Amino acid sequence: DVTISGYGRTGVIYQESDDTRTNETQIVSRLRMNIDASTTTDQGVEFGGRIRLQWDQGEEGATESPGLLYVTANGLTVSVGNVGTAYDEAGLIYATELGAFDRSVGGNSLGDFYAFNTDGYDRGDQVGVAIEYAVGDLTARASYIDPDQSGYFEDDADDGVINGYSGFEEEFGVSFDYVWNERLELSLAAVQNGAGIEDNDQYFVGARYAINDAARIGLNYIDNGDDRAEFFDPNADGSNDYDLGNTIALYGDYTLADGLTNIEAYIANNDGDWASKESDNAFGIGVNYDLGGARLGASIQRDYDEDVTADMGVRFDF
Amino acid sequence: DVTISGYGRTGVIYQESDDTRTNETQIVSRLRMNIDASTTTDQGVEFGGRIRLQWDQGEEGATESPGLLYVTANGLTVSVGNVGTAYDEAGLIYATELGAFDRSVGGNSLGDFYAFNTDGYDRGDQVGVAIEYAVGDLTARASYIDPDQSGYFEDDADDGVINGYSGFEEEFGVSFDYVWNERLELSLAAVQNGAGIEDNDQYFVGARYAINDAARIGLNYIDNGDDRAEFFDPNADGSNDYDLGNTIALYGDYTLADGLTNIEAYIANNDGDWASKESDNAFGIGVNYDLGGARLGASIQRDYDEDVTADMGVRFDF
Amino acid sequence: DVTISGYGRTGVIYQESDDTRTNETQIVSRLRMNIDASTTTDQGVEFGGRIRLQWDQGEEGATESPGLLYVTANGLTVSVGNVGTAYDEAGLIYATELGAFDRSVGGNSLGDFYAFNTDGYDRGDQVGVAIEYAVGDLTARASYIDPDQSGYFEDDADDGVINGYSGFEEEFGVSFDYVWNERLELSLAAVQNGAGIEDNDQYFVGARYAINDAARIGLNYIDNGDDRAEFFDPNADGSNDYDLGNTIALYGDYTLADGLTNIEAYIANNDGDWASKESDNAFGIGVNYDLGGARLGASIQRDYDEDVTADMGVRFDF
């Protein structure tokens, strides 16, 4: 059985910037197609695989992801290859995102960690293994990514820095999602050596409570880890003198009486420190209007550099 | 809803050439697969997207196009991303093409303009927006292509020439097609800054009349514009001393009594001037035989350099 | 009509090695998706094409093959483009392969020849033409591959060696498969200028006999040809002083009474000579367990360098 599913989205994003050479308002589009192939054995065990085709604005053409392979039975799924990771798939980690583009400049993790790879691996012989177990209201995940299972690159230098790249440690992650009484969602996640960077350990705790059928409120805490990758330099001065800090975000959403319009907002606080940072607070408000199979959305947000960004667009799923 | 459609064609093309190193007769094949995904909202508005996979003879592997996104309702279609352009989609602009390969060395435009991109953008952050409105016998189109919406490249040099590339102007195009009484087709199109090249303005007027059910005759006029791209040098001497001129083409086709065999021909006149040009006249004759879902075709043509080219092949659509 | 079919496989491969920098045990995965499009004319002639998407462990992303086009009627198939070759498709040439990964380090051909290209052509303007005719118990194939039909590269140097590449000769191949009385399979194949390398002629004869419904035994003979490609240097000393020799392989498989477990084994003898070669004998044993739509498999083998390799994995088809 082979199916193709995914989504498209397009619209306009405004990004305040000090760089006078670039246009602050640009059209941004994405088209994602997941090709999923699977077969079920006589015992009811499902084997399958996925290759993703995706085009993002600014790319020369659509890209093909590395392949994902999985086997699933009785709620347990084991995947190999280009796997989704436990930390990235934690239930609430992206819950502050707003609008048709699902962006959150303040509430999302600032750290670096692996996820399902869409545009192709950068280097080495990367491999991942992930396990997900879903039983009743609980989902548990664990993942392991080896950026170079061949072992060649790790050995090339004592400090594991190759061509300006570090990141040859093995990443481990776990996450748990639990829904209590259909009202309270809890989400916990941790990742060690995020994105293969030594000691880049990150933690996440989130909770969201449905006050009634229309309103939800949530609180996320993220320890953004210690991203000492050679290529990561938020100060742009080579000093490596920065701190991604911890992020606390309060967020909620409310569906209007029409049942189609959803208002959403967040306010986030980050105690880190980097050169362009102007404020410990970021916030945003967004709206989505359900067209049935598609949605119109918009948001306006201010980030920790006190730059304003806004977007308006449409997204459809197929 | 996801569908894959397209065509394949293969055969032999002969091209007379003074270059003794190259083989004059070669096998030429193409396989095109358009992956189209769409969804329709409760209001009857259709949202969709397309990625094209295509392999052409001589390419290392199949290529993936950038993505196209569109929304359509009540005859109005708005597309964003890798859009088809108004000039390229004018109803009769390719009407002189012959045979299974749909080639016209004399009657097609000699100018440079954007179209749906199959092999990937060359550079920059290209984006297009197009509108098409079809009502009754009229189809109207407008398109806009920005070769670099980021604005970076345009600013890099005063004359907009980067790494031997010019072509960072924004292209605008319009076209109109009208069918009168199911007998007379009219087609008008214009494009400004074709292919992003400043002042490369091109115009097209075409008309085709169905004398009866079997025979049609048409006349096309093309102003090929002023292609002063840095990389375009038909004289191969760096002189930039050439003129693509205007092309007038008379063409027609006739279906034999078997209802399957279609004979087609054109004669074209171009008043331009470039180094290899030997004649103001080009002409060709072709034939297609309908197999029902596929067709066999052949053509023989002479171009403005007085070189003869001929082809024979098969094309099938799926 | 468009269909997507293929297979996925994943597991672990152990390879004994003297290279201390590399990990001897690695996860190895593949996901193959063949996109096949076809149409049938009113006369019952089928035209079609294929593009393959495939990801192999170690690749940055999935790759797209060049396109294959074909026409088939009354048992005769003519293909153009990225064709399967007669030698590679000979019925028994891979019959010694074991386990879920279908590997045979001793019984497979050691020679170099063209096959359907999955990862993209290396160079030039490669084109292939193949014919297959299947009538009753006989299948006959012939194929022709021109590594550079443009003719440019062949002329670039007298000895046809370009950038360290030789291999611009045209490859010709034929093969015949015959099944006698549903018990005895015979397979013959020959290829001239294998992989475009001059005088790299290879020959194959194979036979397999079904003793009963559960047991089969076979014998293969392969002349591995004379692979004098510039880039091929098994001695790693530039000496070009090696000989791939001839391979004789005895093999068989036995299905246990459960009807699901298949035991398979081979022993192969090669009289060639290269620097790392330690033995004229290679052998292996494997097992596959049928899950219905998927299979578990394992093998252990020793190659001519007296290195041991073993694998264990799962493969599913869709």
Side-chain angles (χ1 to χ4, degrees):
Chain A
D1 215 31
V2 180
T3 59
I4 298 178
S5 63
Y7 66 84
R9 69 181 179 202
T10 186
V12 168
I13 296 182
Y14 163 85
Q15 175 66 57
E16 189 180 351
S17 169
D18 294 334
D19 183 349
T20 55
R21 292 174 63 235
T22 196
N23 294 322
E24 292 190 325
T25 303
Q26 297 192 22
I27 293 174
V28 178
S29 308
R30 168 180 287 179
L31 182 55
R32 171 179 293 184
M33 294 180 176
N34 295 319
I35 312 181
D36 289 299
S38 66
T39 191
T40 304
T41 69
D42 303 343
Q43 298 83 27
V45 179
E46 184 186 336
F47 291 89
R50 165 177 290 189
I51 291 173
R52 176 182 290 172
L53 307 185
Q54 181 167 313
W55 179 71
D56 278 292
Q57 191 68 54
E59 292 179 347
E60 294 178 2
T63 57
E64 293 183 280
S65 76
L68 160 72
L69 295 137
Y70 69 85
V71 52
T72 186
N74 298 324
L76 181 71
T77 302
V78 178
S79 13
V80 179
N82 181 16
V83 301
T85 58
Y87 197 75
D88 182 66
E89 300 200 336
L92 295 173
I93 199 166
Y94 295 110
T96 64
E97 292 181 336
L98 309 176
F101 288 98
D102 292 321
R103 299 165 70 224
S104 175
V105 298
N108 274 353
S109 169
L110 303 172
D112 216 0
F113 48 87
Y114 286 118
F116 181 89
N117 179 297
T118 294
D119 293 330
Y121 296 139
D122 290 330
R123 62 217 159 103
D125 186 7
Q126 186 168 320
V127 72
V129 179
I131 298 175
E132 179 176 311
Y133 185 58
V135 54
D137 297 324
L138 176 73
T139 304
R141 302 175 199 85
S143 64
Y144 158 82
I145 306 284
D146 187 343
D148 174 38
Q149 71 161 340
S150 73
Y152 269 115
F153 292 100
E154 294 163 42
D155 270 15
D156 258 359
D158 290 335
D159 59 353
V161 179
I162 317 295
N163 300 329
Y165 267 119
S166 59
F168 289 105
E169 296 297 314
E170 295 164 16
E171 184 197 277
F172 294 90
V174 290
S175 65
F176 302 91
D177 291 326
Y178 187 71
V179 183
W180 197 13
N181 219 2
E182 297 184 0
R183 293 217 92 130
L184 179 63
E185 299 164 82
L186 295 172
S187 184
L188 259 88
V191 62
Q192 203 176 14
N193 300 331
I197 298 154
E198 196 169 2
D199 298 329
N200 182 24
D201 301 345
Q202 299 161 61
Y203 303 93
F204 165 69
V205 186
R208 182 163 61 179
Y209 181 70
I211 298 164
N212 54 41
D213 284 356
R216 297 183 296 184
I217 191 161
L219 192 68
N220 277 7
Y221 170 86
I222 302 173
D223 177 338
N224 293 301
D226 194 23
D227 188 349
R228 299 293 158 189
E230 291 293 307
F231 52 88
F232 187 77
D233 179 19
N235 292 351
D237 61 1
S239 71
N240 233 359
D241 182 20
Y242 62 90
D243 172 15
L244 297 176
N246 303 328
T247 302
I248 299 178
L250 178 70
Y251 57 96
D253 70 288
Y254 182 74
T255 304
L256 300 195
D258 63 4
L260 301 172
T261 310
N262 187 262
I263 311 280
E264 49 197 2
Y266 73 83
I267 177 158
N269 178 284
N270 178 282
D271 63 0
D273 187 33
W274 57 88
S276 63
K277 199 179 190 217
E278 300 274 350
S279 165
D280 278 0
N281 296 309
F283 46 85
I285 183 162
V287 62
N288 280 295
Y289 182 78
D290 187 359
L291 297 171
R295 61 181 158 103
L296 299 173
S299 85
I300 180 160
Q301 310 184 39
R302 203 194 73 180
D303 63 20
Y304 297 113
D305 300 351
E306 291 195 344
D307 285 331
V308 171
T309 183
D311 58 66
M312 193 165 63
V314 63
R315 171 182 161 142
F316 60 95
D317 290 69
F318 54 84
Chain B
D1 216 31
V2 180
T3 57
I4 298 178
S5 62
Y7 66 84
R9 69 182 180 201
T10 186
V12 168
I13 296 183
Y14 163 83
Q15 175 66 57
E16 188 181 350
S17 169
D18 294 334
D19 184 349
T20 55
R21 291 175 64 234
T22 196
N23 294 323
E24 293 190 324
T25 303
Q26 297 192 22
I27 293 173
V28 177
S29 308
R30 168 181 287 180
L31 182 55
R32 171 178 293 184
M33 294 181 177
N34 294 319
I35 313 180
D36 289 299
S38 67
T39 190
T40 304
T41 70
D42 304 342
Q43 298 82 27
V45 178
E46 184 186 337
F47 291 89
R50 165 177 289 189
I51 290 173
R52 176 182 290 171
L53 307 185
Q54 181 167 314
W55 179 71
D56 279 292
Q57 190 68 54
E59 292 179 347
E60 293 178 3
T63 57
E64 293 183 279
S65 76
L68 160 71
L69 295 137
Y70 68 84
V71 50
T72 186
N74 298 324
L76 182 70
T77 302
V78 178
S79 16
V80 179
N82 181 17
V83 301
T85 57
Y87 197 76
D88 182 66
E89 300 200 338
L92 295 173
I93 198 165
Y94 295 110
T96 64
E97 291 181 338
L98 307 176
F101 288 98
D102 292 320
R103 299 165 70 226
S104 174
V105 298
N108 274 352
S109 170
L110 303 173
D112 217 359
F113 49 88
Y114 286 118
F116 181 90
N117 180 296
T118 293
D119 293 331
Y121 295 139
D122 290 329
R123 61 214 160 108
D125 186 7
Q126 185 167 321
V127 72
V129 179
I131 298 176
E132 179 174 311
Y133 185 58
V135 53
D137 297 325
L138 177 72
T139 303
R141 300 175 200 86
S143 64
Y144 158 83
I145 307 284
D146 187 343
D148 174 38
Q149 70 162 341
S150 74
Y152 269 115
F153 292 100
E154 294 163 41
D155 270 15
D156 258 359
D158 289 335
D159 60 353
V161 179
I162 317 295
N163 299 330
Y165 266 119
S166 58
F168 289 104
E169 296 297 315
E170 295 164 15
E171 183 195 278
F172 294 89
V174 290
S175 65
F176 302 91
D177 290 326
Y178 186 72
V179 183
W180 197 15
N181 218 1
E182 297 184 358
R183 293 219 93 130
L184 179 64
E185 298 165 83
L186 296 172
S187 184
L188 260 88
V191 61
Q192 203 176 14
N193 301 330
I197 298 154
E198 197 169 2
D199 298 331
N200 182 25
D201 302 343
Q202 299 162 61
Y203 304 92
F204 164 69
V205 185
R208 182 163 61 180
Y209 182 71
I211 297 164
N212 52 43
D213 283 358
R216 295 184 298 183
I217 190 160
L219 191 68
N220 278 6
Y221 170 85
I222 301 173
D223 177 338
N224 293 301
D226 194 23
D227 187 349
R228 298 294 157 186
E230 290 294 307
F231 51 87
F232 186 79
D233 179 19
N235 292 351
D237 61 1
S239 69
N240 233 0
D241 182 19
Y242 61 90
D243 172 16
L244 297 177
N246 303 328
T247 302
I248 298 178
L250 178 71
Y251 57 96
D253 70 287
Y254 182 75
T255 305
L256 301 194
D258 63 2
L260 301 172
T261 310
N262 186 261
I263 311 281
E264 51 197 0
Y266 73 84
I267 176 157
N269 178 285
N270 179 282
D271 62 1
D273 187 34
W274 57 88
S276 62
K277 199 178 191 217
E278 300 275 349
S279 164
D280 277 0
N281 297 309
F283 47 84
I285 184 163
V287 62
N288 280 294
Y289 182 77
D290 186 359
L291 297 172
R295 61 181 159 101
L296 300 173
S299 85
I300 180 159
Q301 310 183 38
R302 202 194 74 180
D303 64 19
Y304 297 113
D305 301 352
E306 291 194 343
D307 284 331
V308 171
T309 183
D311 57 66
M312 193 164 65
V314 64
R315 170 182 163 144
F316 59 95
D317 289 69
F318 55 84
Chain C
D1 216 31
V2 180
T3 58
I4 298 179
S5 63
Y7 66 84
R9 68 182 180 202
T10 186
V12 168
I13 296 182
Y14 163 84
Q15 175 67 55
E16 188 179 352
S17 169
D18 295 334
D19 182 349
T20 55
R21 292 175 64 234
T22 196
N23 293 323
E24 292 190 323
T25 303
Q26 296 192 24
I27 294 173
V28 177
S29 308
R30 168 180 287 179
L31 182 55
R32 170 178 294 185
M33 294 182 177
N34 294 319
I35 313 180
D36 289 299
S38 66
T39 191
T40 305
T41 69
D42 303 342
Q43 297 83 26
V45 178
E46 184 186 336
F47 291 89
R50 165 177 290 190
I51 291 174
R52 176 183 289 172
L53 307 185
Q54 181 167 313
W55 179 71
D56 278 292
Q57 191 69 53
E59 292 179 346
E60 294 178 2
T63 56
E64 294 182 279
S65 76
L68 160 71
L69 294 137
Y70 68 84
V71 51
T72 185
N74 297 325
L76 181 70
T77 302
V78 179
S79 16
V80 179
N82 182 17
V83 301
T85 57
Y87 197 75
D88 182 64
E89 300 200 337
L92 295 174
I93 197 164
Y94 296 110
T96 63
E97 292 181 337
L98 308 176
F101 289 98
D102 292 320
R103 299 165 71 225
S104 174
V105 298
N108 274 351
S109 169
L110 303 173
D112 216 0
F113 48 88
Y114 285 118
F116 181 89
N117 179 296
T118 294
D119 294 330
Y121 295 139
D122 290 329
R123 64 217 158 104
D125 186 8
Q126 186 167 322
V127 71
V129 179
I131 297 175
E132 179 175 312
Y133 185 59
V135 53
D137 297 325
L138 176 72
T139 303
R141 300 176 201 85
S143 64
Y144 158 82
I145 307 284
D146 187 343
D148 174 38
Q149 70 161 341
S150 74
Y152 269 115
F153 292 100
E154 295 164 40
D155 270 16
D156 257 1
D158 289 335
D159 59 353
V161 178
I162 317 295
N163 299 330
Y165 266 120
S166 58
F168 289 104
E169 296 297 315
E170 295 164 16
E171 183 195 279
F172 294 88
V174 290
S175 65
F176 302 91
D177 290 327
Y178 186 73
V179 183
W180 197 14
N181 219 0
E182 296 183 0
R183 291 217 95 125
L184 179 64
E185 299 164 83
L186 295 173
S187 184
L188 260 88
V191 61
Q192 202 176 15
N193 301 330
I197 298 154
E198 196 169 2
D199 297 330
N200 182 24
D201 301 345
Q202 299 161 62
Y203 304 93
F204 165 69
V205 186
R208 182 164 61 180
Y209 181 71
I211 297 163
N212 53 41
D213 283 356
R216 296 184 297 184
I217 191 160
L219 190 69
N220 278 6
Y221 170 85
I222 302 174
D223 177 338
N224 293 300
D226 193 22
D227 187 349
R228 298 294 159 187
E230 290 293 308
F231 51 87
F232 187 78
D233 179 20
N235 291 352
D237 61 1
S239 70
N240 234 359
D241 182 21
Y242 61 90
D243 172 16
L244 297 177
N246 303 328
T247 302
I248 297 178
L250 178 72
Y251 57 96
D253 70 288
Y254 183 74
T255 304
L256 300 194
D258 63 3
L260 301 173
T261 309
N262 186 262
I263 311 281
E264 50 198 0
Y266 73 83
I267 176 157
N269 178 284
N270 178 283
D271 62 1
D273 186 32
W274 57 90
S276 63
K277 199 177 190 219
E278 300 274 349
S279 163
D280 278 359
N281 296 309
F283 46 84
I285 183 163
V287 63
N288 280 294
Y289 182 77
D290 187 358
L291 297 171
R295 60 181 158 102
L296 299 172
S299 84
I300 180 161
Q301 309 184 40
R302 203 193 73 177
D303 63 21
Y304 297 113
D305 301 351
E306 290 193 345
D307 285 330
V308 171
T309 182
D311 57 66
M312 192 164 64
V314 63
R315 170 181 162 144
F316 60 96
D317 289 69
F318 54 84

